[in-house]
Amino acid sequence: MSSQHPPAMSKPKTRSSQGSHTGIYKPDAVKDTADSLSIPISDSVASALASDVEYRIHQVIEEAGRFMRHGRRTTMTTSDIDQALRVLNIEPLYGHSSHNPPTFRRALPFPQMPSAGPVYFVEDEEIDFDRVLREEKIALPKGVSWTAHWLAVEGVQPLIPENPPAIPREQDGEPGMNGMTGAGPHLNGVGAKKSVASQQQQQLVKQVLSRELQLYYARLTSSLLPPSADTTKRNAALASLRNDAGLQALLPYLVRWVGEGVVNALGEGSQSESGGKVLEVLMDVISAILENHTLFVEPYLHQILPPILSTLLYSSLPPSHAALLRTSAAQTLSRLLTQHSTTYPSLSPRIMKTLLLALVSPGKGAGTREGAIRGLVGVGKEAVRKGLVESGGAKVVGSECERGVGEGLETAVLDALRSLQPQVESDMSDSLDQSNEADANVYNHLRDVLGDYFAERVSTDAAWARELANIPIS
Amino acid sequence: MSSQISTGTPPASSQSPTVASPPAAVQDPTTNLSTSERVVLEYLRARGHGAAEKAFLEELETGSPDDKGKQPETIGAQDLVKSLAVFAEKPSRPGENILNESSNVLQQLNSMPNPPNIQSLIASIGSVGAEELLSLDPTDKQEGYRELEAWVDGSLDMYRPEFRPILFPIFCHFYLDLIQHGYKDAALRFFSAYSPSLSTSHTATLHHLSTLLLPAHVQNDELAQRFRNEKYAIRMSRSGFGLLVGWLTEGVGGEASGSGDGFTGERGKRGRAAVMRVVNNHLRFDVTSTNPTAVSPHAWEESTGLFSSLIPQPNASLKTLTNPHVFNASKGDLKLGPAPISEELRAEAERVLREQAMVDRDPTTPFDIQVNRPMPGPGMIAPTEADMLPRPSTFKTIDVEREVNAVRDARKRIRLEPTVLANVDADSPQAAALRARALPSICAYTLHDVAEGSPCCTFSQDTSLMAAGFAESYIRLWNLKGERLKGLRSDFSSSSVKDPASLQKIREKKGTTTRKLIGHSGPVYSVAFDPLSGSAAPPKYLLSASADATTRLWSMDTLTNVVAFRGHENPIWDVKWSPMGIYFATASRDRTARLWSTDRTSCLRVYAGHLSDVDCVQFHPNSLYLATGSSDWTARLWDVQRGSCVRVFIGHQGAVGSLALSPDGRYLATAGEDLAINLWDIGSGKRVKKMTGHTASIYSLSFSAESSMLVSGGADWTVRCWDVKSAGGLRAKPRENGVIENGIRGYGEDENSETVDLLATFPTKRTPITNVQFTPRNLCLVGGVYQSTESR
C-alpha cells in the first residue's frame, strides 16, 4: 500500500494546489486496483473508497507518529509504520527495513495523460547472488560507543571540538535568528558565523588605503628622494617616519618602495653621486622604520633584509659614499638583529652565513669583503671572532691586502679585530715579545689564524694578540 | 459560572412567526389543489429554478387522478421538502440558493391570498422542513463562518483575543457537519478557505480533522465524537459575552468595513443562525467578571477546550464538572511533604555519621540527619508512616549507607542559585562570576554509531553505570568508571557459597566494560535503575519497558533478565521506580498507567482515565502520588494507593511527552509537543508559568536538588536551563509608537519566542538529548545519540 503510493506518506502539502481534486488518494487509483481484480465499480464508489483509504492511511501515520516520537526521532521510518500496523491489528508490510530506506524514483511523465500527475515507483535493485557471494565484503558495523565531554562548566560552554562553535551573542539573544522549528538551528548559526569570519578575512586582504594615507605616502616618497634636495624637508620626513603612529597600513608599500629603490640605485647609477645619495636616504628610511615603535615590522623582515645586505655587500658602491653607506647599513643590520633576533632565533645564523660566504669565498671584490666585515661587526663580537679568526677571514683578506688592494679593507679588518680588544685601563700596551717563549707561541698561533699580514699588526698589542689567539691574559 | 444563550430561540420558529394555523385546516383537499400547485409553480418559475419546477411537475404527474384525494398531504408535507432538499444539494446558482430565500418563500406565500390548505402546506414546511434544510445547507455554513470571522476581526482590539478562540470550535463543528451530511467537496472547500487563518496551535487537530472525509469516519473517530458529545469550553468576560449574544441575535457590532450589506441581511441572519446552533449545542461559556485585558496571554489554554471527559467525573454528583480548578479543589489537600523516615533507620544513620565524624577528626560537621533532609515547606502536609505504601519493617545495611551518603551528598552539593541572575545585566563584569554560581556544570555522554536509534538512556545515581535502550530491542549497559562488568556464573553449587569472598569466586573471570542485555522483542522505550542503594553503591536492578508490552527486571548481579512483567496490552512507553524502591509504575499506549511491585508479576493498581496514550510517568518524591502525562494533552496526578485521580493539569496544546517533579514535592513540570514547558503548583493544580524556547520536541526534564532550576533537553540538540522561581513571561517587545502589542498576541501567536526565565542554552553539535538528570550533588548529566550527517 505505502510502496505503491508514496505521496500519501508525505504530509498533505499538495492539498491546496490540487484544486478541484479532493483528498490525496485518487479515485483513479482505486479504480485501477478494481480493474486489476476485474471488479467493476462506479465513480462514486471509487471516490468513497479513495476517501476511506486516505483516512486509513492517515490513521496509520498518526499511530506511527507516536512510535516515532517515543523512538526519540524526528524522521518516520518504516519500522514505525510496522509497529503502527501491528498495534492496529493489521498485518505489517514485509520487505521494508529502516536500514536501507527505499528510494522512490519519479517516472517520466505520460504525455497522453497529463492529468495523472507525477508517478513514483520504488527502485528495485537486482542483486546478483554470485557476485555478492564472491565478493564477501560483509563487514560488521562498528559497535555502539560513548564519549563524554563537558557541555558546560559552571554555566560556560567550553570551546572544545566536541561543542559547536560559539554563536555570537547578538544572534543568541535574537529569537528570530534561531527560532526556526525542526532540527538544525545551530547549523545555521554556525554557517552564518563562518561566513562572517571569511568576510572579515576578505576585508583584510582587500583593505584599501585611506585617502589620507595615500597622500602621506606620495608626499613622503617625493620629499625623501632627489630631485628634492631640501634636506630640512627630508629630515622632517624621516622624523615623521621615525615617530608617527598609524603608519602600519603603509608599511608594506614603504618596504616595497625601499626595496625597489635600492635595486634601481645599485643597478643603474651605482657609480654616480646621486645613486649613492639615494642609497644613503634609503638606509635612513629603513633605520627610521625600525626605530618606529608603533610599527609591526616582523612580517616584513624578509623584505627589509635584502636591501640592507645588498647595500652592505655590493662591490662597487660609489667611492665617495662607500664607507659611509657600508657603515650605516651595518648599523641598521645591527639594530635589526638586536630587535628581532630574540623572536627569530634563526635570523642571525642565516645572516652570518651570507656574510661569511661573502668574506671567505674567492673572487669577491674588496668592497664586498669590507662590507662583510662591517656586517660582522654589526652582528656582534662573536660573529667577528667566528668570521675573521675561526673561519680564516682575516687570512683571506690579509693575503689580498698584501697584494695591495686597498687600505679601506685593512682598516675595516683592524676595526673589526679591535672590537675584540680587551678593555685595558692603561693606555700603555706592550708588544709581543718574540724572545718570550709564550709570546712566540701566541705569535705563531696568530699567524696560523690571521695570516702573516694581520698577525704582524696585531702583535703590537700583547693583550689584544693573546685575546685573539684565545689565550687568557697572563 | 456557566450559562447558555437563553435568548437563542430555534431558528425555524423565529423565521416563520406567522405560521400559527391549526393543523385542523387540512380537511378539504380536492377543491383548491390546482391553485396551490399553480402558486408554487409560478413562484418557482419566477425565481428561475427550473429543476425544482420540473421535479414538482413530475410529482404531480405521477399522482393518478383518483389518488388526488390523499395526494395533497403526502406531496405537500414531505415530498416537496425532499425535492427542495435535493435541490439544495446541488445549487445551480451558487450564491442565490433557493434555500437562501426559503423564508422569503414562506413570507411571500403567506402574504398571498391563500386558501387554508395552502396555509397548512406552508405550516408543514415551516415546522418540518426549515430547520432541517438550514442545517443541511453547505453554503450557509461558509457564510456563517465568514461572517463570524469578519465580526471577530472587526471587533475592538480589547475583545479580539477573547473572541478568537470561538472560531476554532465553530470551524470544527461546521466541518464535521458538512462531512456528516456527505458534502465532502463543500467540506474541503470550507477547510481550505478558512483553516489557514486559524491559530497555529491548532494545526495538529486541524490536520486530524482534515483526514475525516466520510460520514462513517465522523461516526468512528474519537476526536470527532468528542466534539459532538462534549461541550467546548470558552472563557469570556461578561461584556464580551454580551457583545457576542448581541451579534448572534441582532447582528450588531463589529462590522468589517467594505463587507457589503453587513450582517443585517437575510443571509447574514441565516449564517448567524447556523453559528447560533453550534453555540447553543456545543459550546459552553465560562463568563468571568474579570477585565479582558487583565488576563495573561496564555490563560486561554487552561480554559478553552473539550473538558468534560478530560476531567474525571465524581460518580455521586449528577452535575458534571467542567472546570479543572473546581475538580482540583474538590479533591482536597495533598500530602506533599517529604516521606517519613523510620526512627531506627534514622538513629542508625546518625550513629554512623557520628562515627565517621570522629574518624575524620572533624566533630563540627553536622551529623544530624534531619538537618539535611528536606523539610516540608509552609502549607505542606508531611505524610505519616501510615500513609506510606507498605514496605519492609526492618532496614538493611544498604538503607543506612544510602541515608549516610545522602547526608554527605547534601554537604558536598554544588549550590545552584539561579535567582542571583535575576537582575544582572548579562554584559556586566560580575555576570560571569554570578553565572558560575547560578548555572550547573553539564557533562554530556554521547553515543556514537547507533544504527537505528536509541529511544532512552539513563545513569545510575552513583554515576557508575549507564544504560541505553535501543530500537533493535536490546539494552546496553556501560560501566562509566572503566571497570569490568562481571556477572555471576550460573554453574555453581549453592552449597559452596558461604561468605562474600566465595560469592566473588563465582563471578565470571572475564568481562568488558559494556554488556548487551537481550530479552525484549521490540524497541526499548525506557530504562530505569533502582534507587534503593542511592549514591552509596551501584544499583542492583534495572527495569526496562518495551514495545513488546512487557516490562523486564534485570539483575545487575547476574546481568540477566529475572522477571518479565506482563499485563499491558500495548507498547509501554515509560517505566519509573518509586523513590523508595520496590514499587514501580509503567505508562502504556493502552491508556492506562499501572503500579507494580518487583515481587509480583501482576500489577497492583491500574490508573485509568486518560483519553489517549499515557506517555510518561513519574512518582512524587514521597511515593504517595503518581504523575502521568498523556497524548490527550493533560497531565494527571493519581493517589497511588487509592488509584484515583486527584489532580488534572490542563493547558498543553499537544501531547505531554515528559514530566518531572521537583525534589521539594511542590512543583510539576511538564513538556508538551507544543514545545512549551509548563510549571504547575501541585497543591492547587494551577499553572505557575509557561516556559517556551525549545524549537523541537522536548525529551527530558530534570530539577536540580534544590528545586531551583529546571534543565531540559530535546530534539533541537540543545540543553536549556530554566529558572524555576522567577516569574517568567515573554520578553517585553519593543513598542512601536507607544502602542502596546499585548492584546493581539494573546491567542496562539508568538509561540516560539523565548521566555525570560530561560537562563542558558547549550547547543550540542548534532545530538538530540534523550535524557537529562542531576546527580545528588547537582552535577548535570545528559545523554543522547549523535546523528551523523550521512544517516537519514
Side-chain angles (χ1 to χ4, degrees):
Chain A
M1 178 171 74
S2 67
S3 62
Q4 267 178 330
H5 303 284
M9 306 284 285
S10 60
K11 286 277 166 89
K13 282 175 198 154
T14 51
R15 174 185 290 279
S16 53
S17 65
Q18 291 190 345
S20 63
H21 172 64
T22 61
I24 307 143
Y25 201 85
K26 294 178 186 175
D28 291 351
V30 176
K31 279 196 134 179
D32 289 347
T33 316
D35 284 349
S36 71
L37 299 168
S38 58
I39 305 168
I41 53 170
S42 69
D43 278 357
S44 60
V45 171
S47 161
L49 272 176
S51 297
D52 197 49
V53 166
E54 191 178 326
Y55 173 64
R56 303 295 162 199
I57 291 174
H58 276 296
Q59 249 185 339
V60 171
I61 291 174
E62 209 161 279
E63 201 59 52
R66 295 179 180 181
F67 284 92
M68 176 189 81
R69 235 175 49 225
H70 285 283
R72 304 308 193 204
R73 273 179 281 107
T74 45
T75 323
M76 196 175 285
T77 63
T78 48
S79 61
D80 292 331
I81 300 280
D82 274 358
Q83 294 276 3
L85 290 173
R86 204 163 279 149
V87 297
L88 292 171
N89 219 1
I90 305 169
E91 194 179 355
L93 299 162
Y94 298 105
H96 300 280
S97 77
S98 46
H99 293 291
N100 46 344
T103 47
F104 289 103
R105 286 185 55 181
R106 193 174 170 160
L108 293 170
F110 300 113
Q112 67 271 28
M113 267 186 72
S115 62
V119 172
Y120 295 85
F121 63 93
V122 185
E123 197 166 30
D124 197 1
E125 199 189 346
E126 273 189 25
I127 295 171
D128 182 10
F129 279 116
D130 276 348
R131 199 168 52 83
V132 170
L133 290 173
R134 227 184 307 119
E135 284 183 354
E136 282 182 7
K137 277 209 298 198
I138 303 159
L140 269 178
K142 216 159 88 180
V144 180
S145 60
W146 61 271
T147 56
H149 73 272
W150 289 106
L151 188 66
V153 177
E154 296 190 331
V156 179
Q157 189 157 26
L159 291 172
I160 49 175
E162 287 89 345
N163 285 328
I167 300 163
R169 235 198 135 67
E170 316 79 79
Q171 233 173 337
D172 215 337
E174 186 67 57
M177 289 297 278
N178 47 13
M180 52 192 69
T181 49
H186 344 289
L187 264 201
N188 287 320
V190 173
K193 198 215 158 204
K194 268 185 186 159
S195 71
V196 166
S198 65
Q199 256 182 13
Q200 280 174 347
Q201 267 177 3
Q202 277 185 351
Q203 275 178 356
L204 264 180
V205 171
K206 277 190 183 170
Q207 195 177 44
V208 185
L209 280 181
S210 67
R211 181 142 184 79
E212 291 77 16
L213 278 178
Q214 285 180 32
L215 251 170
Y216 176 86
Y217 178 75
R219 291 273 169 82
L220 185 83
T221 48
S222 66
S223 58
L224 281 172
L225 281 192
S228 129
D230 192 346
T231 46
T232 56
K233 221 175 180 180
R234 185 182 303 154
N235 288 340
L238 284 174
S240 156
L241 203 54
R242 202 171 287 126
N243 298 315
D244 282 0
L247 304 179
Q248 183 66 43
L250 273 183
L251 189 59
Y253 300 93
L254 280 174
V255 168
R256 205 177 64 191
W257 176 71
V258 169
E260 282 171 0
V262 168
V263 167
N264 283 341
L266 292 179
E268 293 164 15
S270 60
Q271 296 295 333
S272 67
E273 286 287 305
S274 66
K277 268 194 181 140
V278 167
L279 282 174
E280 223 170 283
V281 172
L282 290 176
M283 283 304 111
D284 286 344
V285 168
I286 291 180
S287 68
I289 289 174
L290 288 174
E291 273 171 61
N292 192 332
H293 294 294
T294 62
L295 288 178
F296 181 57
V297 188
E298 272 175 30
Y300 304 100
L301 283 182
H302 66 286
Q303 279 177 295
I304 292 178
L305 276 172
I308 299 176
L309 289 176
S310 305
T311 315
L312 193 63
L313 300 179
Y314 197 69
S315 57
S316 51
L317 288 174
S320 54
H321 293 85
L324 188 66
L325 271 177
R326 288 191 214 282
T327 318
S328 73
Q331 276 166 0
T332 312
L333 186 67
S334 157
R335 168 182 287 281
L336 191 147
L337 282 175
T338 47
Q339 272 179 4
H340 299 290
S341 60
T342 46
T343 43
Y344 282 102
S346 65
L347 196 60
S348 9
R350 269 159 59 197
I351 290 171
M352 272 291 295
K353 209 175 153 193
T354 317
L355 294 177
L356 275 182
L357 215 65
L359 182 64
V360 181
S361 61
K364 297 280 182 188
T368 308
R369 300 253 195 260
E370 190 191 335
I373 292 161
R374 290 198 188 280
L376 286 175
V377 176
V379 174
K381 227 162 143 181
E382 280 310 301
V384 173
R385 179 186 293 286
K386 204 172 177 201
L388 286 180
V389 182
E390 286 165 26
S391 311
K395 234 190 238 174
V396 177
V397 178
S399 62
E400 277 172 18
C401 286
E402 274 170 350
R403 273 182 270 129
V405 178
E407 74 244 45
L409 195 54
E410 188 192 328
T411 50
V413 172
L414 284 177
D415 283 350
L417 290 176
R418 206 156 282 134
S419 71
L420 296 176
Q421 192 172 17
Q423 299 292 312
V424 189
E425 279 86 41
S426 64
D427 287 339
M428 290 294 289
S429 57
D430 50 346
S431 59
L432 279 176
D433 188 358
Q434 292 286 359
S435 57
N436 188 329
E437 194 188 338
D439 281 2
N441 271 348
V442 168
Y443 185 72
N444 288 336
H445 189 69
L446 269 183
R447 277 180 55 184
D448 280 351
V449 292
L450 297 182
D452 293 340
Y453 189 79
F454 285 110
E456 214 168 282
R457 273 154 187 77
V458 170
S459 64
T460 51
D461 187 336
W464 187 19
R466 284 194 195 97
E467 173 69 27
L468 283 176
N470 210 3
I471 292 164
I473 304 159
S474 54
Chain B
M1 177 176 112
S2 99
S3 77
Q4 280 260 324
I5 299 181
S6 51
T7 49
T9 49
S13 59
S14 70
Q15 280 174 358
S16 51
T18 51
V19 178
S21 58
V26 201
Q27 293 311 324
D28 49 350
T30 45
T31 47
N32 289 311
L33 180 72
S34 57
T35 333
S36 66
E37 283 168 9
R38 215 180 309 124
V39 169
V40 173
L41 279 172
E42 266 169 15
Y43 172 73
L44 290 175
R45 202 170 292 142
R47 306 295 295 187
H49 296 304
E53 185 191 350
K54 213 190 263 175
F56 192 50
L57 279 173
E58 274 167 15
E59 286 286 341
L60 290 176
E61 276 161 17
T62 47
S64 59
D66 52 318
D67 280 344
K68 275 197 174 178
K70 24 188 174 151
Q71 218 175 6
E73 290 95 8
T74 50
I75 293 175
Q78 281 110 36
D79 290 9
L80 178 58
V81 169
K82 252 189 230 160
S83 62
L84 285 173
V86 166
F87 186 72
E89 283 181 29
K90 23 184 159 171
S92 53
R93 289 159 67 185
E96 205 202 331
N97 193 306
I98 180 164
L99 287 168
N100 238 349
E101 278 81 25
S102 74
S103 59
N104 287 359
V105 176
L106 292 172
Q107 274 167 3
Q108 281 175 17
L109 289 177
N110 269 325
S111 59
M112 284 179 202
N114 287 334
N117 61 330
I118 291 282
Q119 291 231 329
S120 76
L121 176 72
I122 294 164
S124 61
I125 292 176
S127 58
V128 178
E131 190 172 8
E132 180 101 339
L133 293 176
L134 277 173
S135 66
L136 281 174
D137 180 14
T139 56
D140 210 27
K141 296 195 165 48
Q142 293 242 16
E143 191 65 21
Y145 188 80
R146 191 186 63 75
E147 284 176 12
L148 179 67
E149 200 177 27
W151 177 71
V152 168
D153 286 342
S155 61
L156 289 175
D157 280 354
M158 176 180 158
Y159 291 112
R160 205 178 298 143
E162 272 192 82
F163 290 154
R164 280 202 74 84
I166 309 174
L167 290 174
F168 175 67
I170 289 179
F171 175 91
C172 293
H173 276 289
F174 278 1
Y175 180 82
L176 291 174
D177 281 343
L178 290 173
I179 292 289
Q180 182 102 57
H181 294 124
Y183 304 118
K184 192 172 96 180
D185 295 334
L188 288 170
R189 264 202 309 280
F190 177 64
F191 190 90
S192 61
Y194 296 111
S195 68
S197 60
L198 285 165
S199 163
T200 49
S201 55
H202 299 305
T203 316
T205 315
L206 287 175
H207 178 250
H208 182 89
L209 288 180
S210 77
T211 64
L212 308 174
L213 295 170
L214 295 177
H217 300 160
V218 176
Q219 291 299 333
N220 294 326
D221 189 77
E222 212 165 310
L223 183 70
Q225 284 309 305
R226 278 182 65 197
F227 265 105
R228 279 280 182 259
N229 299 330
E230 294 176 31
K231 298 247 175 185
Y232 191 99
I234 285 172
R235 176 169 293 185
M236 207 171 263
S237 69
R238 194 174 295 284
S239 48
F241 185 65
L243 286 172
L244 178 68
V245 171
W247 179 77
L248 284 171
T249 50
E250 309 291 332
V252 289
E255 284 176 31
S257 56
S259 62
D261 57 347
F263 310 121
T264 45
E266 264 315 301
R267 289 170 54 201
K269 206 170 176 184
R270 299 170 38 70
R272 286 202 311 280
V275 174
M276 172 87 95
R277 213 169 13 258
V278 173
V279 167
N280 266 339
N281 295 334
H282 300 296
L283 298 192
R284 182 177 53 76
F285 288 91
D286 287 337
V287 180
T288 60
S289 48
T290 49
N291 185 2
T293 52
V295 183
S296 83
H298 296 300
W300 65 271
E301 289 179 352
E302 287 172 87
S303 54
T304 306
L306 297 160
F307 281 166
S308 48
S309 60
L310 287 176
I311 300 166
Q313 301 298 332
N315 296 329
S317 69
L318 293 170
K319 194 174 139 272
T320 52
L321 284 172
T322 48
N323 190 329
H325 299 311
V326 174
F327 168 78
N328 288 341
S330 75
K331 283 296 172 181
D333 287 336
L334 302 179
K335 294 173 177 172
L336 298 177
I341 178 169
S342 79
E343 199 53 45
E344 295 90 23
L345 178 58
R346 194 171 73 87
E348 180 65 16
E350 279 181 16
R351 192 186 60 76
V352 172
L353 279 169
R354 201 173 295 128
E355 274 175 15
Q356 278 180 353
M358 295 298 278
V359 170
D360 298 343
R361 295 171 198 284
D362 187 11
T364 51
T365 42
F367 44 78
D368 182 12
I369 199 162
Q370 216 63 42
V371 170
N372 291 300
R373 286 188 68 80
M375 297 299 290
M380 286 167 87
I381 311 163
T384 60
E385 195 63 47
D387 296 322
M388 301 303 292
L389 295 170
R391 52 180 171 183
S393 51
T394 54
F395 60 87
K396 299 178 188 160
T397 327
I398 189 69
D399 293 322
V400 179
E401 281 177 23
R402 181 187 66 226
E403 293 301 327
V404 168
N405 242 60
V407 173
R408 210 176 289 154
D409 285 337
R411 239 182 253 153
K412 297 195 173 174
R413 183 174 295 156
I414 309 161
R415 315 248 167 243
L416 300 177
E417 299 162 58
T419 40
V420 298
L421 278 180
N423 294 315
V424 178
D425 179 26
D427 297 319
S428 67
Q430 63 275 52
L434 288 174
R435 276 175 78 86
R437 260 176 73 200
L439 293 172
S441 296
I442 303 171
C443 189
Y445 287 83
T446 313
L447 298 182
H448 299 271
D449 304 312
V450 177
E452 272 196 75
S454 156
C456 59
C457 73
T458 189
F459 304 94
S460 68
Q461 274 198 46
D462 67 338
T463 62
S464 66
L465 292 173
M466 171 167 73
F470 289 88
E472 293 99 329
S473 312
Y474 69 89
I475 301 154
R476 196 172 263 285
L477 202 65
W478 283 277
N479 189 310
L480 298 180
K481 293 180 171 169
E483 291 159 6
R484 291 169 188 281
L485 292 168
K486 291 179 184 178
L488 295 173
R489 292 201 312 268
S490 52
D491 55 334
F492 66 95
S493 64
S494 52
S495 59
S496 67
V497 180
K498 297 181 197 75
D499 51 352
S502 58
L503 197 65
Q504 285 302 318
K505 251 180 232 167
I506 59 164
R507 285 201 181 272
E508 292 163 335
K509 292 280 176 291
K510 281 187 227 161
T512 51
T513 57
T514 174
R515 195 69 176 249
K516 208 173 186 176
L517 305 178
I518 300 171
H520 281 295
S521 58
V524 181
Y525 289 121
S526 182
V527 283
F529 283 112
D530 85 292
L532 209 58
S533 47
S535 58
K540 292 262 179 247
Y541 297 103
L542 173 74
L543 276 173
S544 62
S546 159
D548 63 6
T550 63
T551 312
R552 282 172 192 268
L553 183 74
W554 306 80
S555 162
M556 293 295 102
D557 279 328
T558 59
L559 297 172
T560 52
N561 185 203
V562 271
V563 194
F565 301 95
R566 293 169 208 275
H568 280 294
E569 314 236 312
N570 279 141
I572 303 171
W573 298 133
D574 200 8
V575 61
K576 287 279 158 60
W577 285 92
S578 137
M580 57 188 272
I582 307 164
Y583 299 95
F584 63 93
T586 54
S588 166
R589 188 191 167 271
D590 65 9
R591 304 181 177 192
T592 63
R594 295 182 191 215
L595 180 77
W596 313 72
S597 78
T598 45
D599 52 358
R600 280 158 207 255
T601 51
S602 58
C603 71
L604 306 172
R605 295 282 186 281
V606 177
Y607 305 98
H610 276 297
L611 301 182
S612 188
D613 306 19
V614 184
D615 290 313
C616 49
V617 71
Q618 180 83 51
F619 276 93
H620 190 269
N622 66 13
S623 300
L624 249 57
Y625 302 102
L626 185 70
T628 54
S630 165
S631 292
D632 66 6
W633 300 8
T634 65
R636 288 174 187 233
L637 194 74
W638 308 82
D639 187 307
V640 169
Q641 296 225 48
R642 259 171 258 145
S644 62
C645 179
V646 289
R647 290 286 182 274
V648 58
F649 305 96
I650 296 177
H652 271 295
Q653 298 300 304
V656 178
S658 65
L659 47 78
L661 284 117
S662 66
D664 64 6
R666 194 178 277 271
Y667 298 112
L668 167 71
T670 55
E673 285 299 300
D674 55 355
L675 308 185
I677 300 169
N678 281 339
L679 190 72
W680 310 86
D681 181 60
I682 299 175
S684 66
K686 286 188 177 131
R687 179 158 69 177
V688 180
K689 59 179 175 173
K690 177 181 177 179
M691 300 178 270
T692 55
H694 270 287
T695 55
S697 299
I698 300 154
Y699 291 150
S700 184
L701 295 172
S702 180
F703 276 98
S704 71
E706 301 104 326
S707 311
S708 59
M709 173 177 289
L710 182 71
V711 173
S712 63
D716 57 1
W717 310 342
T718 61
V719 176
R720 289 171 200 252
C721 302
W722 309 86
D723 187 358
V724 171
K725 307 283 187 219
S726 86
L730 292 165
R731 272 171 223 286
K733 281 207 164 173
R735 293 166 184 183
E736 280 179 33
N737 304 332
V739 177
I740 303 167
E741 289 181 35
N742 189 21
I744 307 157
R745 71 157 188 249
Y747 177 67
E749 288 153 50
D750 224 359
E751 286 298 308
N752 263 336
S753 53
E754 294 169 359
T755 47
V756 286
D757 42 9
L758 174 59
L759 294 172
T761 302
F762 301 111
T764 64
K765 261 187 173 164
R766 291 181 64 86
T767 312
I769 304 298
T770 51
N771 183 41
V772 169
Q773 77 189 62
F774 273 97
T775 67
R777 296 186 183 178
N778 260 350
L779 178 71
C780 186
L781 305 179
V782 302
V785 178
Y786 180 76
Q787 289 190 315
S788 56
T789 38
E790 67 264 25
S791 76
R792 289 197 272 280

